[in-house]
Structures are given as structure tokens and as C-alpha cells.
Amino acid sequence: MKYTFDPVPFHHTNSLLEFPRVAADFGFEWIQMTPHPDFIPFFSHPRADDDLVRALGKACESAGVGISSILPVQRWSSPDENLRQAAVRNWKRAIQIAVDLGVDQMNTEFSGRPEKPEESEASFYRSMEELVPIIEREGINIAIDPHPDDFVERGTDAWRIIRGVNSKNLSFVYVAAHSFHMQDPMDEILDLVQDRLRVVHVADTFDHRRSGGLRYITNPPETAARVHQHMKIGDGDVDWDNFYSELNRNGFLNRDDSVMVTSVFSEHENHEEVTRYQLNEMRSRVDAARR
């Protein structure tokens, strides 16, 4: 399993080519490339040309850090056909970048709209018709996260949609900070997903359903906003003993291609201490779960 550094908290303090060194300084051997403005920004065509891609590869080699995964987020499930087509074009370039970097794992979101679930699902499958042949030809695995405020948020429903593509090159991301929006217990999701669980993101969150749904006070009360956090382990309501026990039962902790990413975004003012804490916690909890 690959303990992986997510550089999002460092986007504003370090340049793209510094991320491998930063990861190594914290003790990580792997990094996940996130939607950085110089790389593959959210919902945009990749900004990295071949020269920058080669420079990133050299920076990783120099730091002794590998890229475990690349995370593009594009509107490939958009009900707007122009946006969907643009997302497919963007994905093609993102896949080529992954190939050039020797990376075979990418992870992403469905990126549709919850108020238009049927249209978004149709758009997703339309995009898959064009992209899956490329994904399979290049030997890339794409893991998908049912993100809050997407057309599918429930964990088991998300897996059924992924399974419906009928390609072994698509798999599942389990984001601990989305646990309560996924609704289904972790064991039920993992029993369905089995070894198609390829990526997990480690961050805590509060259970918004507690206190009769009043854990958060929102105005207006009927707002459709999906409130969730990405806090450090132990600051929220995720059952971490169960989380690591289920990952161990699934076999995720013992697969060479598994990617475990620290994913705390809420403490940028304390990001160095939090990053060290997360890596230590992940390692100790994995060791305890394996015993």
C-alpha cells in the first residue's frame, strides 16, 4: 500500500515542482497530483505542456518520490453537452499526461448535478463510451468518488453506476470525510466493491445527521448545501477503528496497488504539523489493524 501526500494545503506556499521534495521531507514516498493551476485545474484543460510534465518527472526522481495517482476533476457528467464534450477533451489530455509520467492510477468525481440525476447519469455513460477504450488501451485505472453535491452520493448506488460501465479499469474511491453523505455502512459498500477499492482519502468529518439533523445550523434552513469537513483524524465522528478494520478485511491494506491519501484541507494555517500527524496516525493505525 502506498502512503500518499496530497499537496493541496501547500498550493499557496510551494510551486508545482517543489511538491515532490516537500513530500519527501515529510517522509512520504508517494504523492497524489491534485488540481493545481499549473497542472490540471478544476474543470479546465490541463495547463502542463510536455516540458513541464518532463520537469515534474525529474523532480520526482530527484526527490525519490513516485506519483501514486493523479486527480483530475472534470464535468464529464454534465447535463450541458458543451461542457461534457469539453470535459472529455480535457480527460484525453490528462490521460496522456498520466501515461507520460508512468502513472497508471487516476481518481476523480462523477461531477454531475444532483438536481438533474437522470440527465447526469446519461451524460456519464455517454462520456464512458468515448473514454473507456482509451483508458483500457493505456492501462489506466480510474477510481471514482461519490462526492457530496453530485448526482449520486450514496455509496452503494455509486458502485452500481461504476459497475454498469462494464470495465475492470474503473474502480471506487472511499473518502472517509464523505462517510455520512454516502449513507450506507462502510462494510456494505466494501462488500460490493471488493478488490475494486483502489484509493482511500483519510480525513475526519462530523456526522451532519446527528442531533435530529441540527448538527449544523444553516440559513435558510432548507438550503441544499452539502456541508462536510476534511479534518485531521480524531477531530470528527468517523469511527477510525472500524475504518481500518474494514480496510484490512477488504484486503486493501495489503495490496501493492492500494493508495491511501492524507486529505486534510481545513487547517492550512497548521498544515505542516497536521501532515506529520496524519502520516504517523495512518501508519500506526494500519499496523494495529494488521495485527
Side-chain angles (χ1 to χ4, degrees):
M1 190 187 69
K2 301 171 181 176
Y3 294 100
T4 297
F5 172 74
D6 187 308
V8 165
F10 298 80
H11 278 195
H12 303 295
T13 57
N14 296 89
S15 71
L16 178 74
L17 297 182
E18 290 179 312
F19 291 155
R21 175 192 57 78
V22 173
D25 287 347
F26 282 112
F28 287 94
E29 296 179 358
W30 299 95
I31 186 172
Q32 173 169 272
M33 297 308 302
T34 45
H36 188 276
D38 286 324
F39 192 58
I40 309 175
F42 282 103
F43 313 127
S44 302
H45 192 276
R47 302 303 200 235
D49 62 5
D50 289 346
D51 289 341
L52 183 56
V53 170
R54 281 191 291 269
L56 177 60
K58 290 179 180 177
C60 287
E61 183 178 356
S62 177
V65 169
I67 300 175
S68 64
S69 49
I70 296 175
L71 198 168
V73 182
Q74 303 288 339
R75 301 190 197 278
W76 61 356
S77 300
S78 174
D80 183 315
E81 181 61 10
N82 287 329
L83 293 179
R84 189 199 67 80
Q85 290 182 17
V88 170
R89 288 194 297 271
N90 299 346
W91 261 104
K92 290 178 181 178
R93 174 58 181 158
I95 290 169
Q96 184 59 56
I97 289 172
V99 171
D100 291 345
L101 287 168
V103 178
D104 62 7
Q105 181 65 56
M106 304 176 80
N107 49 292
T108 189
E109 303 166 10
F110 285 99
S111 298
R113 294 304 310 145
E115 65 273 11
K116 293 186 175 182
E118 292 184 21
E119 298 92 330
S120 296
E121 181 176 328
S123 292
F124 173 73
Y125 283 121
R126 192 177 304 121
S127 295
M128 292 303 101
E129 289 177 358
E130 187 169 351
L131 288 173
V132 163
I134 300 171
I135 293 165
E136 292 180 340
R137 183 187 71 223
E138 299 294 354
I140 300 290
N141 184 278
I142 308 286
I144 307 176
D145 156 38
H147 198 282
D149 196 47
D150 215 323
F151 79 89
V152 56
E153 298 174 291
R154 185 168 182 171
T156 55
D157 288 345
W159 169 244
R160 291 177 181 123
I161 289 172
I162 294 168
R163 185 178 60 194
V165 177
N166 195 30
S167 172
K168 299 296 185 183
N169 289 63
L170 265 64
S171 57
F172 193 87
V173 182
Y174 193 100
V175 179
H178 303 164
S179 294
F180 306 114
H181 291 276
M182 285 193 283
Q183 301 181 46
D184 301 301
M186 187 176 182
D187 62 333
E188 293 183 11
I189 297 172
L190 298 196
D191 282 347
L192 287 173
V193 174
Q194 299 184 33
D195 63 357
R196 301 272 288 280
L197 177 67
R198 294 291 291 265
V199 180
V200 300
H201 284 196
V202 177
D204 216 331
T205 191
F206 290 127
D207 185 349
H208 62 282
R209 304 166 300 179
R210 293 190 183 183
S211 301
L214 296 175
R215 192 67 182 270
Y216 308 121
I217 304 299
T218 58
N219 290 304
E222 65 275 9
T223 180
R226 271 63 161 186
V227 180
H228 71 286
Q229 303 83 14
H230 281 248
M231 304 182 295
K232 70 179 187 294
I233 293 171
D235 280 358
D237 296 322
V238 173
D239 184 341
W240 291 106
D241 289 340
N242 180 71
F243 178 82
Y244 281 97
S245 175
E246 286 300 321
L247 291 181
N248 189 54
R249 185 176 69 89
N250 172 268
F252 179 89
L253 301 183
N254 297 302
R255 290 197 289 270
D256 291 340
D257 57 5
S258 297
V259 178
M260 178 177 287
V261 188
T262 177
S263 184
V264 177
F265 305 142
S266 58
E267 300 189 41
H268 286 193
E269 69 282 357
N270 199 29
H271 56 285
E272 293 187 5
E273 180 181 337
V274 168
T275 299
R276 293 188 182 92
Y277 170 85
Q278 285 285 111
L279 181 56
N280 289 335
E281 281 288 301
M282 290 191 299
R283 283 174 169 164
S284 63
R285 288 177 180 272
V286 166
D287 289 344
R290 284 171 171 165
R291 288 198 291 268

